[in-house]
Amino acid sequence: MKTTSRTRSTAAKPAKKAAPLKKKAPAARTATLDKAIKDYEEALKVMGRKDYTRAGHLFESIIKEYPTEREVCDRSRIYLSVCRSHAPAASQKARGPEDPYYLGVIAANDGRLDEAAELFEKVLRQNAQSNRAHYALASVCGMKGDAAGAIDHLRKAIELSPANRVQALNDSDFDSLRDNAEFMALLGKTPEGGL
């Protein structure tokens, strides 16, 4: 019995022509879109001047006035959140002698130690007997590794309010000074690394 091999024709079949892509018509610019873009650009300029409170209000009004302009509203929402994150510190105006103290606490908590130190020094220029400002400045000096500054301001804070000694014993801001004999003597303790 003979085996025959049949070969099939592998000739390429003509490919179907792809339908030409239809170009989308550009979105019609409306009068509200032009106005929304103009207001958006103005809000960006205000934000560029770091007036976050006013810029935030402008972005909010864009979102309310032009809810159908989706892209402008989406971008406005993003910048509104940026404005809100900056507004609390930026919008606080000095209303009394203690405001620099609170701004200093915020700066220290954010890790802006040089700015915090300047604010606490400002409080001390206004009131050299502020035990809170001396303690806070000692704390900032401790975090910056300035042992002499920390000891000097903590000594003044303790003289003005002995309760600051107890607070400093457990304050982690002074951890870098726990093996400093002068610092620990001020707290009535021996250095942690010593005998």
Side-chain angles (χ1 to χ4, degrees):
M1 192 167 179
K2 275 189 175 177
T3 313
T4 59
S5 66
R6 293 185 182 175
T7 57
R8 293 189 177 196
S9 171
T10 58
K13 293 183 183 177
K16 289 185 183 179
K17 287 188 178 180
L21 293 175
K22 292 182 184 178
K23 291 184 179 179
K24 272 189 171 180
R29 287 187 69 122
T30 62
T32 58
L33 177 60
D34 288 337
K35 179 74 171 115
I37 290 172
K38 184 178 176 187
D39 290 354
Y40 173 78
E41 289 172 346
E42 178 61 28
L44 285 177
K45 287 178 188 174
V46 172
M47 185 177 165
R49 293 191 297 262
K50 297 185 180 184
D51 187 350
Y52 297 109
T53 302
R54 183 166 175 250
H57 292 303
L58 292 172
F59 287 121
E60 284 175 346
S61 67
I62 290 167
I63 294 165
K64 288 176 187 173
E65 286 183 46
Y66 311 106
T68 58
E69 304 303 340
R70 186 173 160 203
E71 187 173 340
V72 175
C73 286
D74 288 347
R75 290 180 183 199
S76 293
R77 282 185 194 93
I78 291 168
Y79 284 113
L80 176 59
S81 68
V82 171
C83 289
R84 285 179 177 161
S85 72
H86 285 83
S91 68
Q92 287 189 16
K93 305 286 185 224
R95 292 181 215 118
E98 292 301 319
D99 279 340
Y101 173 80
Y102 292 112
L103 294 174
V105 170
I106 291 168
N109 289 340
D110 287 345
R112 295 177 282 128
L113 301 179
D114 291 333
E115 182 181 341
E118 288 175 19
L119 288 162
F120 295 137
E121 287 168 356
K122 180 178 180 180
V123 173
L124 290 173
R125 284 192 297 274
Q126 294 170 353
N127 177 9
Q129 300 302 308
S130 171
N131 79 81
R132 294 187 315 164
H134 278 294
Y135 185 91
L137 190 52
S139 171
V140 168
C141 289
M143 289 187 287
K144 290 173 65 175
D146 176 6
I151 292 166
D152 182 46
H153 286 287
L154 185 59
R155 180 175 287 116
K156 291 173 187 168
I158 291 170
E159 287 170 6
L160 293 165
S161 175
N164 286 320
R165 176 177 283 119
V166 175
Q167 184 174 345
L169 281 169
N170 299 308
D171 192 335
S172 63
D173 293 346
F174 298 113
D175 283 351
S176 66
L177 302 174
R178 301 283 176 210
D179 60 351
N180 182 301
E182 187 179 359
F183 173 79
M184 293 305 284
L186 181 60
L187 299 181
K189 301 287 182 182
T190 57
E192 289 183 356
L195 298 173

mmCIF file of all heavy atoms in Angstrom, residues 94-126:
data_model
loop_
_atom_site.group_PDB
_atom_site.id
_atom_site.type_symbol
_atom_site.label_atom_id
_atom_site.label_comp_id
_atom_site.label_asym_id
_atom_site.label_seq_id
_atom_site.Cartn_x
_atom_site.Cartn_y
_atom_site.Cartn_z
ATOM 1 N N ALA A 94 -0.640 86.170 63.725
ATOM 2 C CA ALA A 94 -0.241 86.401 65.115
ATOM 3 C C ALA A 94 -1.283 87.290 65.781
ATOM 4 O O ALA A 94 -1.446 88.434 65.413
ATOM 5 C CB ALA A 94 1.134 87.037 65.164
ATOM 6 N N ARG A 95 -2.011 86.737 66.729
ATOM 7 C CA ARG A 95 -3.058 87.482 67.425
ATOM 8 C C ARG A 95 -2.616 87.873 68.826
ATOM 9 O O ARG A 95 -3.284 88.629 69.490
ATOM 10 C CB ARG A 95 -4.331 86.632 67.508
ATOM 11 C CG ARG A 95 -4.961 86.430 66.167
ATOM 12 C CD ARG A 95 -6.228 85.601 66.292
ATOM 13 N NE ARG A 95 -6.313 84.780 65.107
ATOM 14 C CZ ARG A 95 -6.290 83.466 65.094
ATOM 15 N NH1 ARG A 95 -6.213 82.788 66.205
ATOM 16 N NH2 ARG A 95 -6.344 82.800 63.977
ATOM 17 N N GLY A 96 -1.543 87.301 69.290
ATOM 18 C CA GLY A 96 -1.082 87.593 70.634
ATOM 19 C C GLY A 96 0.336 87.103 70.789
ATOM 20 O O GLY A 96 0.906 86.506 69.889
ATOM 21 N N PRO A 97 0.930 87.333 71.943
ATOM 22 C CA PRO A 97 2.332 86.964 72.136
ATOM 23 C C PRO A 97 2.580 85.459 72.128
ATOM 24 O O PRO A 97 3.702 85.032 71.932
ATOM 25 C CB PRO A 97 2.674 87.576 73.495
ATOM 26 C CG PRO A 97 1.367 87.744 74.182
ATOM 27 C CD PRO A 97 0.353 87.975 73.104
ATOM 28 N N GLU A 98 1.547 84.641 72.329
ATOM 29 C CA GLU A 98 1.771 83.194 72.379
ATOM 30 C C GLU A 98 1.693 82.512 71.007
ATOM 31 O O GLU A 98 2.065 81.369 70.878
ATOM 32 C CB GLU A 98 0.762 82.553 73.328
ATOM 33 C CG GLU A 98 0.961 82.922 74.780
ATOM 34 C CD GLU A 98 2.325 82.538 75.318
ATOM 35 O OE1 GLU A 98 2.815 81.442 75.004
ATOM 36 O OE2 GLU A 98 2.907 83.341 76.040
ATOM 37 N N ASP A 99 1.186 83.198 69.989
ATOM 38 C CA ASP A 99 1.063 82.551 68.694
ATOM 39 C C ASP A 99 2.383 82.013 68.143
ATOM 40 O O ASP A 99 2.410 80.911 67.618
ATOM 41 C CB ASP A 99 0.395 83.465 67.683
ATOM 42 C CG ASP A 99 -1.116 83.475 67.829
ATOM 43 O OD1 ASP A 99 -1.665 82.535 68.416
ATOM 44 O OD2 ASP A 99 -1.739 84.420 67.338
ATOM 45 N N PRO A 100 3.491 82.725 68.240
ATOM 46 C CA PRO A 100 4.748 82.150 67.761
ATOM 47 C C PRO A 100 5.100 80.845 68.487
ATOM 48 O O PRO A 100 5.714 79.952 67.908
ATOM 49 C CB PRO A 100 5.782 83.244 68.039
ATOM 50 C CG PRO A 100 4.993 84.503 68.077
ATOM 51 C CD PRO A 100 3.656 84.119 68.644
ATOM 52 N N TYR A 101 4.677 80.736 69.737
ATOM 53 C CA TYR A 101 4.941 79.503 70.478
ATOM 54 C C TYR A 101 4.244 78.317 69.800
ATOM 55 O O TYR A 101 4.857 77.286 69.545
ATOM 56 C CB TYR A 101 4.480 79.637 71.934
ATOM 57 C CG TYR A 101 4.580 78.331 72.696
ATOM 58 C CD1 TYR A 101 5.798 77.905 73.203
ATOM 59 C CD2 TYR A 101 3.470 77.507 72.855
ATOM 60 C CE1 TYR A 101 5.910 76.698 73.871
ATOM 61 C CE2 TYR A 101 3.568 76.297 73.522
ATOM 62 C CZ TYR A 101 4.784 75.891 74.028
ATOM 63 O OH TYR A 101 4.894 74.684 74.670
ATOM 64 N N TYR A 102 2.958 78.469 69.506
ATOM 65 C CA TYR A 102 2.211 77.369 68.878
ATOM 66 C C TYR A 102 2.718 77.073 67.474
ATOM 67 O O TYR A 102 2.796 75.914 67.066
ATOM 68 C CB TYR A 102 0.716 77.671 68.874
ATOM 69 C CG TYR A 102 0.136 77.664 70.256
ATOM 70 C CD1 TYR A 102 -0.325 78.823 70.848
ATOM 71 C CD2 TYR A 102 0.091 76.496 71.013
ATOM 72 C CE1 TYR A 102 -0.832 78.828 72.137
ATOM 73 C CE2 TYR A 102 -0.408 76.485 72.305
ATOM 74 C CZ TYR A 102 -0.874 77.650 72.855
ATOM 75 O OH TYR A 102 -1.363 77.637 74.127
ATOM 76 N N LEU A 103 3.078 78.107 66.731
ATOM 77 C CA LEU A 103 3.656 77.898 65.410
ATOM 78 C C LEU A 103 4.999 77.169 65.532
ATOM 79 O O LEU A 103 5.338 76.332 64.691
ATOM 80 C CB LEU A 103 3.826 79.230 64.680
ATOM 81 C CG LEU A 103 2.524 79.952 64.313
ATOM 82 C CD1 LEU A 103 2.836 81.328 63.728
ATOM 83 C CD2 LEU A 103 1.696 79.132 63.354
ATOM 84 N N GLY A 104 5.740 77.472 66.587
ATOM 85 C CA GLY A 104 7.008 76.778 66.837
ATOM 86 C C GLY A 104 6.798 75.317 67.143
ATOM 87 O O GLY A 104 7.558 74.454 66.683
ATOM 88 N N VAL A 105 5.754 75.009 67.918
ATOM 89 C CA VAL A 105 5.436 73.611 68.224
ATOM 90 C C VAL A 105 5.095 72.860 66.939
ATOM 91 O O VAL A 105 5.566 71.743 66.712
ATOM 92 C CB VAL A 105 4.278 73.521 69.245
ATOM 93 C CG1 VAL A 105 3.776 72.091 69.389
ATOM 94 C CG2 VAL A 105 4.724 74.071 70.598
ATOM 95 N N ILE A 106 4.295 73.490 66.068
ATOM 96 C CA ILE A 106 3.931 72.858 64.796
ATOM 97 C C ILE A 106 5.182 72.617 63.955
ATOM 98 O O ILE A 106 5.371 71.541 63.386
ATOM 99 C CB ILE A 106 2.904 73.728 64.034
ATOM 100 C CG1 ILE A 106 1.560 73.729 64.767
ATOM 101 C CG2 ILE A 106 2.729 73.244 62.598
ATOM 102 C CD1 ILE A 106 0.575 74.769 64.267
ATOM 103 N N ALA A 107 6.045 73.642 63.878
ATOM 104 C CA ALA A 107 7.280 73.503 63.091
ATOM 105 C C ALA A 107 8.161 72.389 63.648
ATOM 106 O O ALA A 107 8.712 71.585 62.891
ATOM 107 C CB ALA A 107 8.041 74.832 63.065
ATOM 108 N N ALA A 108 8.295 72.319 64.977
ATOM 109 C CA ALA A 108 9.118 71.265 65.582
ATOM 110 C C ALA A 108 8.529 69.886 65.294
ATOM 111 O O ALA A 108 9.266 68.946 64.972
ATOM 112 C CB ALA A 108 9.231 71.483 67.091
ATOM 113 N N ASN A 109 7.225 69.756 65.389
ATOM 114 C CA ASN A 109 6.571 68.470 65.100
ATOM 115 C C ASN A 109 6.729 68.060 63.643
ATOM 116 O O ASN A 109 6.747 66.876 63.321
ATOM 117 C CB ASN A 109 5.090 68.519 65.469
ATOM 118 C CG ASN A 109 4.878 68.543 66.964
ATOM 119 O OD1 ASN A 109 5.754 68.160 67.734
ATOM 120 N ND2 ASN A 109 3.725 69.013 67.385
ATOM 121 N N ASP A 110 6.844 69.065 62.749
ATOM 122 C CA ASP A 110 7.042 68.781 61.323
ATOM 123 C C ASP A 110 8.507 68.539 60.983
ATOM 124 O O ASP A 110 8.840 68.276 59.835
ATOM 125 C CB ASP A 110 6.521 69.944 60.470
ATOM 126 C CG ASP A 110 5.005 70.014 60.433
ATOM 127 O OD1 ASP A 110 4.345 69.029 60.824
ATOM 128 O OD2 ASP A 110 4.481 71.063 60.005
ATOM 129 N N GLY A 111 9.396 68.686 61.982
ATOM 130 C CA GLY A 111 10.823 68.469 61.737
ATOM 131 C C GLY A 111 11.541 69.704 61.231
ATOM 132 O O GLY A 111 12.702 69.633 60.837
ATOM 133 N N ARG A 112 10.892 70.847 61.225
ATOM 134 C CA ARG A 112 11.514 72.102 60.789
ATOM 135 C C ARG A 112 12.139 72.761 62.014
ATOM 136 O O ARG A 112 11.629 73.735 62.551
ATOM 137 C CB ARG A 112 10.466 73.002 60.125
ATOM 138 C CG ARG A 112 9.917 72.398 58.833
ATOM 139 C CD ARG A 112 8.814 73.249 58.190
ATOM 140 N NE ARG A 112 7.559 73.028 58.908
ATOM 141 C CZ ARG A 112 6.796 73.992 59.402
ATOM 142 N NH1 ARG A 112 7.131 75.260 59.290
ATOM 143 N NH2 ARG A 112 5.661 73.711 60.031
ATOM 144 N N LEU A 113 13.248 72.191 62.459
ATOM 145 C CA LEU A 113 13.841 72.575 63.744
ATOM 146 C C LEU A 113 14.412 73.991 63.756
ATOM 147 O O LEU A 113 14.288 74.698 64.757
ATOM 148 C CB LEU A 113 14.896 71.560 64.154
ATOM 149 C CG LEU A 113 14.391 70.118 64.308
ATOM 150 C CD1 LEU A 113 15.527 69.191 64.704
ATOM 151 C CD2 LEU A 113 13.261 70.041 65.314
ATOM 152 N N ASP A 114 15.033 74.418 62.665
ATOM 153 C CA ASP A 114 15.588 75.779 62.635
ATOM 154 C C ASP A 114 14.468 76.818 62.731
ATOM 155 O O ASP A 114 14.583 77.809 63.442
ATOM 156 C CB ASP A 114 16.415 76.002 61.364
ATOM 157 C CG ASP A 114 17.706 75.193 61.366
ATOM 158 O OD1 ASP A 114 18.210 74.885 62.464
ATOM 159 O OD2 ASP A 114 18.210 74.874 60.271
ATOM 160 N N GLU A 115 13.384 76.573 61.987
ATOM 161 C CA GLU A 115 12.233 77.487 62.040
ATOM 162 C C GLU A 115 11.621 77.496 63.440
ATOM 163 O O GLU A 115 11.270 78.554 63.970
ATOM 164 C CB GLU A 115 11.189 77.058 61.009
ATOM 165 C CG GLU A 115 9.979 77.954 60.945
ATOM 166 C CD GLU A 115 8.947 77.474 59.931
ATOM 167 O OE1 GLU A 115 9.283 76.678 59.039
ATOM 168 O OE2 GLU A 115 7.790 77.910 60.055
ATOM 169 N N ALA A 116 11.507 76.329 64.050
ATOM 170 C CA ALA A 116 10.958 76.233 65.400
ATOM 171 C C ALA A 116 11.822 77.021 66.382
ATOM 172 O O ALA A 116 11.300 77.767 67.219
ATOM 173 C CB ALA A 116 10.855 74.771 65.829
ATOM 174 N N ALA A 117 13.127 76.866 66.275
ATOM 175 C CA ALA A 117 14.035 77.588 67.177
ATOM 176 C C ALA A 117 13.853 79.098 67.038
ATOM 177 O O ALA A 117 13.807 79.825 68.041
ATOM 178 C CB ALA A 117 15.484 77.188 66.896
ATOM 179 N N GLU A 118 13.726 79.579 65.804
ATOM 180 C CA GLU A 118 13.525 81.017 65.586
ATOM 181 C C GLU A 118 12.230 81.496 66.237
ATOM 182 O O GLU A 118 12.184 82.577 66.835
ATOM 183 C CB GLU A 118 13.488 81.324 64.091
ATOM 184 C CG GLU A 118 14.828 81.216 63.400
ATOM 185 C CD GLU A 118 14.731 81.398 61.892
ATOM 186 O OE1 GLU A 118 13.723 81.950 61.407
ATOM 187 O OE2 GLU A 118 15.675 80.981 61.193
ATOM 188 N N LEU A 119 11.169 80.692 66.113
ATOM 189 C CA LEU A 119 9.884 81.082 66.698
ATOM 190 C C LEU A 119 9.950 81.105 68.225
ATOM 191 O O LEU A 119 9.423 82.021 68.863
ATOM 192 C CB LEU A 119 8.779 80.153 66.204
ATOM 193 C CG LEU A 119 8.399 80.371 64.736
ATOM 194 C CD1 LEU A 119 7.648 79.174 64.178
ATOM 195 C CD2 LEU A 119 7.572 81.641 64.581
ATOM 196 N N PHE A 120 10.609 80.119 68.828
ATOM 197 C CA PHE A 120 10.722 80.106 70.289
ATOM 198 C C PHE A 120 11.602 81.262 70.780
ATOM 199 O O PHE A 120 11.352 81.849 71.829
ATOM 200 C CB PHE A 120 11.252 78.757 70.781
ATOM 201 C CG PHE A 120 10.322 77.613 70.508
ATOM 202 C CD1 PHE A 120 10.803 76.402 70.027
ATOM 203 C CD2 PHE A 120 8.950 77.727 70.712
ATOM 204 C CE1 PHE A 120 9.951 75.346 69.774
ATOM 205 C CE2 PHE A 120 8.087 76.680 70.460
ATOM 206 C CZ PHE A 120 8.586 75.479 69.989
ATOM 207 N N GLU A 121 12.640 81.589 70.011
ATOM 208 C CA GLU A 121 13.479 82.738 70.371
ATOM 209 C C GLU A 121 12.677 84.035 70.296
ATOM 210 O O GLU A 121 12.869 84.941 71.104
ATOM 211 C CB GLU A 121 14.707 82.797 69.457
ATOM 212 C CG GLU A 121 15.717 81.707 69.775
ATOM 213 C CD GLU A 121 16.802 81.541 68.718
ATOM 214 O OE1 GLU A 121 16.749 82.237 67.663
ATOM 215 O OE2 GLU A 121 17.698 80.712 68.935
ATOM 216 N N LYS A 122 11.761 84.110 69.330
ATOM 217 C CA LYS A 122 10.887 85.285 69.216
ATOM 218 C C LYS A 122 10.019 85.423 70.469
ATOM 219 O O LYS A 122 9.852 86.524 71.000
ATOM 220 C CB LYS A 122 10.005 85.162 67.972
ATOM 221 C CG LYS A 122 9.077 86.321 67.758
ATOM 222 C CD LYS A 122 8.277 86.158 66.480
ATOM 223 C CE LYS A 122 7.339 87.338 66.277
ATOM 224 N NZ LYS A 122 6.551 87.193 65.048
ATOM 225 N N VAL A 123 9.490 84.302 70.936
ATOM 226 C CA VAL A 123 8.686 84.328 72.165
ATOM 227 C C VAL A 123 9.541 84.837 73.320
ATOM 228 O O VAL A 123 9.093 85.662 74.129
ATOM 229 C CB VAL A 123 8.105 82.927 72.486
ATOM 230 C CG1 VAL A 123 7.413 82.923 73.837
ATOM 231 C CG2 VAL A 123 7.141 82.471 71.401
ATOM 232 N N LEU A 124 10.774 84.364 73.405
ATOM 233 C CA LEU A 124 11.653 84.771 74.511
ATOM 234 C C LEU A 124 12.054 86.238 74.426
ATOM 235 O O LEU A 124 12.272 86.876 75.453
ATOM 236 C CB LEU A 124 12.885 83.866 74.566
ATOM 237 C CG LEU A 124 12.593 82.435 75.006
ATOM 238 C CD1 LEU A 124 13.824 81.561 74.864
ATOM 239 C CD2 LEU A 124 12.069 82.418 76.443
ATOM 240 N N ARG A 125 12.127 86.786 73.203
ATOM 241 C CA ARG A 125 12.403 88.220 73.080
ATOM 242 C C ARG A 125 11.218 89.034 73.611
ATOM 243 O O ARG A 125 11.394 90.112 74.144
ATOM 244 C CB ARG A 125 12.685 88.591 71.618
ATOM 245 C CG ARG A 125 14.073 88.190 71.146
ATOM 246 C CD ARG A 125 14.434 88.811 69.823
ATOM 247 N NE ARG A 125 13.569 88.402 68.721
ATOM 248 C CZ ARG A 125 13.726 87.315 67.975
ATOM 249 N NH1 ARG A 125 14.740 86.497 68.208
ATOM 250 N NH2 ARG A 125 12.903 87.059 66.989
ATOM 251 N N GLN A 126 10.011 88.485 73.467
ATOM 252 C CA GLN A 126 8.811 89.161 73.958
ATOM 253 C C GLN A 126 8.620 88.939 75.454
ATOM 254 O O GLN A 126 8.092 89.792 76.155
ATOM 255 C CB GLN A 126 7.568 88.665 73.206
ATOM 256 C CG GLN A 126 7.569 89.032 71.736
ATOM 257 C CD GLN A 126 6.457 88.341 70.953
ATOM 258 O OE1 GLN A 126 5.751 87.483 71.463
ATOM 259 N NE2 GLN A 126 6.308 88.730 69.703
#
